[in-house]
Amino acid sequence: MSEAATVRAVIGDSEFDRDTAVTLREPGVYDIDLSAGWTIISAVNGGYLLAVLGRALAHALPHADPFTISAHYLTASQPGPAVVRTDVVRTGRTLSTGQASLFQYDDRGREVERIRVLASYGDLDALPDDVRTAAEPPAIPPVEQCFGPDDSPAPVPGSSAITDRLMLKLDPSTLGWALGAPSGKGEMRAWFGLADGRDPDPFALLLAVDALPPTAFEIGLSGWVPTVELTVHVRCRPAPGPLRVAITTRNLAGGFLEEDAEVWDSADRLVAQSRQLARVRLG
C-alpha cells in the first residue's frame, strides 16, 4: 500500500470539514455550497445538513459544542448554493441557545426554507465524569465480518454518492433486505466512520445518526424515507476510532415511523442519541 493511501485525514482538514464549512457573509448570515457528495438518490442527506447548520451555530454562539439540536425538514435540499441564517436566542454561563434556517432559491429566484433548527450548545469537556446508565453497547460482529456497499453484488436501494464518503459496515443480521429477505424487524446496526479516516467529533455524530440505510428496508419497505423531524443529543466527545450505530423502529403507523438511534464510541461510551420521525411510502 502506498504512503498516500495510508494517510488519515484529521479533524479540521478532511472532506467532511471542507464540505460542511460555512463562510460568514455578515453577522448571523453564512454562505455554503452544498456538496453533491453527500446525496441520497437526488436529495442532500439530513445528517450532513444538520452538521452544516451545527457549524454555523457553533460560530454564532459563545459555546462550541452541540448538546441538543432539533431539526424540522421543510423541503428537500439540493446540491448547490445555500444561505444559513442564525439567531442567538439566549446565552448563559454553561449553555447557549440559538436557532438557524437554511435557504435555497427555486427556479423563479424565490427563497425557499429547507430546514429549521433549534439548538443548545455548551462545553463537552466541562461535563462531569459521573455516568449512571443501564444502556449497553450494541452487539455487532467484528468489522471484518460485516458488509458495506462495496460488498453488494448489485446496487442496493438508496445507495448513492454518500456511501463513497463513509466507512459503513452493516451487521449481517440486519441485511436481509439487501438479499430480498427482510427480517420484519425494524433494526439496523453498523460500524461507522468517515472514508478518509478522520476521527469522529460532535459534528460527525450529527451525521452518524442519519447515515445508515432506513430501518424501513428491514421492515420490508423500499424507496425514499424522507425525514420530517430529527432531534440529536450529544452526550460526550467521542474517542478516536470507529463508531457503532444501532437504530430501531418499534411503530410504523399512518405512513410514519420513528427511528431511535444510539451511537457508541471505541471506549464503549454512549456518545449520542437521536429520535427521528420519517415518512414512508406504502403500497
Side-chain angles (χ1 to χ4, degrees), residues 12-36:
D13 185 21
S14 76
E15 185 175 28
F16 177 70
D17 296 305
R18 292 187 291 273
D19 288 349
T20 56
V22 294
T23 301
L24 181 66
R25 181 199 300 179
E26 58 187 66
V29 182
Y30 303 84
D31 293 305
I32 186 170
D33 193 45
L34 297 178
S35 170

Side-chain angles (χ1 to χ4, degrees), residues 6-280:
T6 62
V7 173
R8 292 168 56 92
V10 298
I11 294 175
D13 185 21
S14 76
E15 185 175 28
F16 177 70
D17 296 305
R18 292 187 291 273
D19 288 349
T20 56
V22 294
T23 301
L24 181 66
R25 181 199 300 179
E26 58 187 66
V29 182
Y30 303 84
D31 293 305
I32 186 170
D33 193 45
L34 297 178
S35 170
W38 303 90
T39 52
I40 292 180
I41 307 177
S42 60
V44 181
N45 171 261
Y48 165 73
L49 291 171
L50 203 57
V52 167
L53 281 101
R55 287 199 183 282
L57 282 169
H59 185 276
L61 295 171
H63 295 95
D65 299 323
F67 277 25
T68 177
I69 182 166
S70 296
H72 285 262
Y73 294 81
L74 307 176
T75 54
S77 299
Q78 304 298 324
V83 177
V84 177
R85 293 195 175 90
T86 63
D87 181 43
V88 177
V89 177
R90 179 187 179 276
T91 61
R93 185 175 60 86
T94 59
L95 285 176
S96 55
T97 300
Q99 60 184 5
S101 291
L102 184 142
F103 299 87
Q104 290 185 305
Y105 292 95
D106 65 14
D107 293 339
R108 299 175 61 182
R110 297 174 300 186
E111 199 169 67
V112 179
E113 188 173 7
R114 302 296 194 194
I115 175 175
R116 183 180 299 188
V117 307
L118 181 66
S120 290
Y121 277 54
D123 180 1
L124 289 170
D125 296 325
L127 295 178
D129 293 331
D130 186 16
V131 177
R132 310 178 197 194
T133 181
E136 296 181 354
I140 302 178
V143 66
E144 60 270 16
Q145 297 177 19
C146 296
F147 298 92
D150 293 341
D151 300 310
S152 175
V156 297
S159 63
S160 61
I162 192 173
T163 60
D164 294 333
R165 279 143 195 90
L166 303 178
M167 187 289 292
L168 197 62
K169 293 291 185 177
L170 294 161
D171 183 337
S173 67
T174 66
L175 266 177
W177 57 274
L179 304 174
S183 68
K185 300 178 181 178
E187 299 177 350
M188 201 69 65
R189 291 182 295 275
W191 292 92
F192 173 90
L194 293 167
D196 59 12
R198 175 199 188 274
D199 282 321
D201 69 349
F203 298 105
L205 298 178
L206 302 182
L207 171 67
V209 299
D210 193 45
L212 273 60
T215 55
F217 289 179
E218 195 63 354
I219 294 175
L221 302 173
S222 62
W224 190 32
V225 184
T227 303
V228 177
E229 188 269 346
L230 172 61
T231 294
V232 184
H233 296 162
V234 176
R235 308 306 302 269
C236 62
R237 194 177 306 282
L243 302 168
R244 284 159 292 170
V245 183
I247 305 178
T248 59
T249 293
R250 295 189 304 164
N251 190 53
L252 187 160
F256 292 86
L257 58 76
E258 88 288 344
E259 287 192 340
D260 290 320
E262 291 184 353
V263 183
W264 294 77
D265 71 0
S266 60
D268 281 347
R269 299 179 304 167
L270 181 60
V271 293
Q273 297 164 278
S274 73
R275 167 162 281 199
Q276 174 177 163
L277 182 70
R279 187 170 217 156
V280 294

